[in-house]
Amino acid sequence: MSAASSVSGTPVARVPSARSMSSVKKARRVFRNSRFAAPTASVSSSSDSPDVIIIGSGVGGLTAGALLAHYGRKVLVLESHYATGGAAHGFQRKTDVGEFRFDTGPSFFAGLTTINALNPLAALLELVGEPLETIKYDPLGTFHVEKDKPGLRRHADLSKLVSEVERFSPDGAKQLNDAVPRIREMYKALSGLPTPALRADWKVGLMIVSRYMKSMSKLGPYAPVLPNPTVGLLDFLEIKDPWMRRLADLECYLLSGVDASGTVAAEFAAVFGASDDLKQSEFPKGGAEAITDALARAITKNGGEIRLKTHVDQIVVENNVATGVRLKNGDVLSAATVMSNASVWDTYSSLIPPGSVSQKEKEDAMGIPCSESFMHLHLGIKADGLDLTELGGHHVVVRDETKPIDAPGNVCMISIASVWEPDMAPEGHHALHAYTMEPFEGWERGEGYEERKRERSDKLYQALERVIPDIRERVVLEMIGSPLTHKHWMRRHKGTYGAAIRAPDMFPGPATGIEGLYRVGDSCAPGVGLPAAASSGVIAANTLVGINEHFKLMDDVDAIAKKAGRFVER
């Protein structure tokens, strides 16, 4: 690489920047650096035992913990990492030109501050008194779907998107335009059953019958297609144009890691509909970690505790009942309920003691297909002469439109967070994250590892050159992450980003064959993104409380929706 300096090593914990920032940012940084100092673990007694121990502090675990703490449960979150957030944590790098701050995972956000049917976080964060400050913008980003052609501006408003599609396929634009009214009707029907109303036990029937039967009846016309693959929904909407169906494949891939033949239609309809309903995307001030910081504050201010650098070795199971956890240092912590935010594969292979579940349950869990891992580029780049006001901060590049969408390295995602949050890069520079799917198999540390990382990351540079042609000459900081990097920092089986369960197969939900042991996270709900993980946390938390407490919660959620003018009549 020309004049760039290649930097490697371990990302360090976030520290206060020398640059000026608002009091909100200062408070957030003090919080991250003082609230979660790793305490010495101790053996708990019955008098001071938490009600729930949550293993891991990803978005699913923190969401469940925040809601359970709101319900009045005593929550203890155990995190082996130095920071909360899982795939949504952030890190920083100091260089000669100043400090760069990066997100590790989620880049595209919507519904963080406006009540909606897709993302439960807007309602939850308002409920627990931790609303986010965000930057709103449109379009979401630019989809570079064909070489040597201007990219498609992915507007949230479907009417605007129709105009964009028309540049590529007039027939596809007409079919999408004809489908928009039905998409909006479908989303309105889906909105009648908000995620916070859901739980994973038989009592969900009581909730639906008492409050949501009229709303559920509106889903009747769509019932045959919603649980099935999105290709059936496209047929239902009479979207037959090959170019438009290719775009649907790309949208599905970004949502769930599989194309329209494997993404459940309900998820696709909810995302498409919510995008149109909200009319804009959002970026949280402070980056993705601002979301997990808010959830963590909701836990601690309601009497919960989060311990960092605290590694759980195994779940303690007695007579088929989870009674607590054993830490790596040998200490045992007791709780009436244990919730694993580790992946389904790590939970069953490492955390559950051998012989504690049936062989069939373990084989079924370990047999759940997982998405590929990732190649990452975290770059600090010079911003001289670069007008990202026009270019935008989000880009999706299809490197070869003749290859399948899910071919490794074919779809590359680019997020330049400093477009919305300038404090994430030194003045005159930008912080950039590019990533693409990469198979885990074949990766080993040792001789040739660094060379392979550089060779496999070149496809990301090729994608970046479609957006910033002289990108290689602009780099002042380069960090390359492989599937092994992803596995190490995310503590995840094969470095995967989540389950790749193809519709109509169902996600397993939070329950296990062990009483008092539940799961939460992206391998419990459809999709690999933040809404899926957050939804799993909400559903798991609701499952652990009585129906009357859940009814009261929904009264509060309805009050928030009414105040915001977002209540859906039912």
Side-chain angles (χ1 to χ4, degrees), residues 11-12 14 29 32 82 87-95 98-106 283 286-289 377-381 415-418 423-426 430-434 476-479:
V12 297
R14 182 177 171 189
R29 291 194 171 191
R32 286 187 66 82
Y82 62 71
H89 82 272
F91 67 95
Q92 59 89 17
R93 267 285 193 268
K94 290 183 178 179
T95 70
E99 179 183 285
F100 291 90
R101 288 175 26 230
F102 298 99
D103 289 334
T104 58
F283 188 83
E289 63 184 349
L377 274 179
H378 285 94
L379 303 177
I381 65 171
S415 176
I416 311 172
S418 49
D423 188 56
M424 294 183 77
H430 280 295
L432 184 154
H433 179 203
V476 298
L477 170 66
E478 177 190 67
M479 289 172 284

Side-chain angles (χ1 to χ4, degrees), residues 212-221:
Y212 301 102
M213 282 301 290
K214 185 177 179 180
S215 298
M216 292 292 287
S217 67
K218 295 177 182 177
L219 288 171

Side-chain angles (χ1 to χ4, degrees), residues 287-362:
E289 63 184 349
I291 301 169
T292 54
D293 282 354
L295 292 169
R297 285 193 298 270
I299 292 172
T300 56
K301 77 179 184 182
N302 282 313
E305 182 184 358
I306 300 174
R307 300 186 190 180
L308 300 179
K309 300 181 181 178
T310 305
H311 187 80
V312 173
D313 186 56
Q314 200 169 69
I315 296 163
V316 178
V317 179
E318 300 175 359
N319 299 318
N320 199 44
V321 177
T323 61
V325 299
R326 181 177 294 104
L327 303 182
K328 188 176 182 179
N329 66 5
D331 290 344
V332 174
L333 306 178
S334 300
T337 301
V338 177
M339 188 176 290
S340 175
N341 191 198
S343 77
V344 60
W345 309 280
D346 295 295
T347 298
Y348 278 86
S349 66
S350 302
L351 292 175
I352 295 177
S356 298
V357 296
S358 70
Q359 187 64 25
K360 182 181 185 306
E361 179 178 343
K362 183 173 182 178

Side-chain angles (χ1 to χ4, degrees), residues 401-425:
E401 60 266 29
T402 68
K403 291 183 178 180
I405 287 292
D406 58 359
N410 194 29
V411 175
C412 300
M413 286 69 73
I414 300 165
S415 176
I416 311 172
S418 49
V419 168
W420 303 285
E421 182 63 297
D423 188 56
M424 294 183 77

Side-chain angles (χ1 to χ4, degrees), residues 241-262:
D241 176 68
W243 193 95
M244 190 62 212
R245 290 179 81 104
R246 174 82 169 175
L247 178 63
D249 275 336
L250 177 59
E251 296 264 1
C252 287
Y253 183 73
L254 296 174
L255 289 175
S256 64
V258 295
D259 62 16
S261 68

Side-chain angles (χ1 to χ4, degrees), residues 23-320:
S23 59
V24 172
K25 291 177 184 173
K26 287 180 180 177
R28 180 181 296 135
R29 291 194 171 191
V30 170
F31 166 77
R32 286 187 66 82
N33 287 287
S34 63
R35 182 69 65 91
F36 296 148
T40 301
S42 59
V43 178
S44 64
S45 64
S46 58
S47 60
D48 62 6
S49 294
D51 297 310
V52 183
I53 288 176
I54 299 175
I55 305 168
S57 66
V59 169
L62 290 177
T63 301
L67 186 50
L68 285 167
H70 177 76
Y71 274 128
R73 303 306 191 267
K74 187 176 180 182
V75 175
L76 172 61
V77 179
L78 304 175
E79 171 56 59
S80 63
H81 206 344
Y82 62 71
T84 58
H89 82 272
F91 67 95
Q92 59 89 17
R93 267 285 193 268
K94 290 183 178 179
T95 70
D96 291 343
V97 300
E99 179 183 285
F100 291 90
R101 288 175 26 230
F102 298 99
D103 289 334
T104 58
S107 303
F108 302 85
F109 304 95
L112 295 175
T113 60
T114 303
I115 301 292
N116 65 96
L118 170 65
N119 192 340
L121 283 175
L124 175 62
L125 291 173
E126 186 68 33
L127 188 71
V128 300
E130 294 290 344
L132 294 173
E133 184 180 359
T134 65
I135 299 96
K136 297 178 173 62
Y137 63 96
D138 185 69
L140 160 70
T142 302
F143 289 4
H144 304 266
V145 291
E146 295 182 30
K147 289 181 180 178
D148 304 320
K149 285 188 178 181
L152 177 138
R153 304 282 278 173
R154 178 50 173 97
H155 288 286
D157 188 322
L158 291 180
S159 299
K160 292 182 179 179
L161 181 59
V162 167
S163 298
E164 279 291 294
V165 171
E166 192 166 14
R167 291 196 291 111
F168 297 87
S169 173
D171 287 345
K174 182 180 184 307
Q175 291 172 18
L176 176 60
N177 187 63
D178 291 344
V180 165
R182 280 187 287 176
I183 293 172
R184 288 173 174 166
E185 289 174 6
M186 195 181 314
Y187 177 73
K188 186 175 181 180
L190 287 168
S191 300
L193 182 62
T195 300
L198 300 178
R199 51 193 296 139
D201 60 5
W202 64 270
K203 294 174 186 175
V204 70
L206 298 177
M207 177 65 72
I208 291 173
V209 169
S210 64
R211 299 194 176 201
Y212 301 102
M213 282 301 290
K214 185 177 179 180
S215 298
M216 292 292 287
S217 67
K218 295 177 182 177
L219 288 171
Y222 315 108
V225 296
L226 289 176
N228 290 301
T230 297
V231 289
L233 175 61
L234 297 176
D235 291 339
F236 176 81
L237 296 172
E238 298 184 22
I239 294 176
K240 303 182 185 300
D241 176 68
W243 193 95
M244 190 62 212
R245 290 179 81 104
R246 174 82 169 175
L247 178 63
D249 275 336
L250 177 59
E251 296 264 1
C252 287
Y253 183 73
L254 296 174
L255 289 175
S256 64
V258 295
D259 62 16
S261 68
T263 300
V264 65
E267 180 187 4
F268 180 82
V271 172
F272 238 61
S275 173
D276 177 65
D277 176 44
L278 296 168
K279 306 300 183 192
Q280 56 194 353
S281 299
E282 295 180 89
F283 188 83
K285 291 189 71 65
E289 63 184 349
I291 301 169
T292 54
D293 282 354
L295 292 169
R297 285 193 298 270
I299 292 172
T300 56
K301 77 179 184 182
N302 282 313
E305 182 184 358
I306 300 174
R307 300 186 190 180
L308 300 179
K309 300 181 181 178
T310 305
H311 187 80
V312 173
D313 186 56
Q314 200 169 69
I315 296 163
V316 178
V317 179
E318 300 175 359
N319 299 318
N320 199 44

